[in-house]
Amino acid sequence: MKFSASAAAAIIISLVFIASSSSDAKADLRLCNKTESQVGVAIGYREKADWVTEGWWNLPANSCETLVPGRLVSRYYYIYAVDYDQFGEWGGRAYMCTREKEFTIQGIEDCVARGYERTGFFEIDTGEQSSWTVQLTEPVQEGTGGR
């Protein structure tokens, strides 16, 4: 099962801004795995003049993890996730470098020539908020009717 970018944008991914009424509330980029599967997550972001990709966070079913601790300094972040149990993925059209084992990679150009995989990430627009949560959910099954 592979989830398309449009399905990911429309069905699979719920983006939730965490509002806070307290000035000392914790600000982070968090990802919640709302599926019944274990999920592996990689993130891409701009750091000064270069792009960086990092992975893997392994999230058990129905759990959350902080990917970027503290106040968010970028408006755009990029996520790629793999469903280890159902063999699906959440991806998009923003291509960045990854590898199978734990990684931190500087730059997103010439991934294959540098010995990495070229992987499509989906974009998160935080709207310059200081805190953001991404929720990965099960896809809606097409062709099934409600009873």
Side-chain angles (χ1 to χ4, degrees):
M1 136 179 86
K2 183 172 181 170
F3 310 125
S4 71
S6 61
I11 299 171
I12 300 168
I13 300 156
S14 301
L15 304 177
V16 180
F17 167 64
I18 307 258
S20 138
S21 59
S22 170
S23 62
D24 53 23
K26 190 171 184 177
D28 298 316
L29 175 63
R30 293 176 45 83
L31 187 132
C32 293
N33 173 12
K34 297 294 188 179
T35 74
E36 296 300 321
S37 300
Q38 181 170 331
V39 172
V41 177
I43 184 172
Y45 55 91
R46 191 118 175 120
E47 184 175 76
K48 298 180 184 168
D50 208 358
W51 288 96
V52 176
T53 52
E54 292 184 64
W56 294 99
W57 284 266
N58 292 305
L59 281 74
N62 297 302
S63 68
C64 296
E65 181 76 33
T66 297
L67 304 181
V68 178
R71 187 172 184 83
L72 301 181
V73 295
S74 294
R75 177 174 177 169
Y76 297 99
Y77 290 88
Y78 297 84
I79 304 286
Y80 174 76
V82 179
D83 181 325
Y84 292 134
D85 299 330
Q86 301 296 318
F87 307 108
E89 63 183 0
W90 291 266
R93 296 187 180 143
Y95 290 95
M96 299 183 173
C97 304
T98 61
R99 68 178 213 165
E100 284 189 33
K101 297 181 180 182
E102 186 176 325
F103 65 90
T104 299
I105 301 170
Q106 300 289 325
I108 58 173
E109 63 288 326
D110 303 319
C111 297
V112 175
R114 295 190 301 147
Y116 303 118
E117 295 176 34
R118 184 175 180 258
T119 305
F121 286 59
F122 65 87
E123 181 178 271
I124 302 298
D125 180 354
T126 67
E128 299 182 8
Q129 300 297 326
S130 63
S131 181
W132 198 266
T133 297
V134 177
Q135 295 185 7
L136 299 180
T137 60
E138 300 284 354
V140 174
Q141 297 294 321
E142 292 184 29
T144 58
R147 294 187 221 202

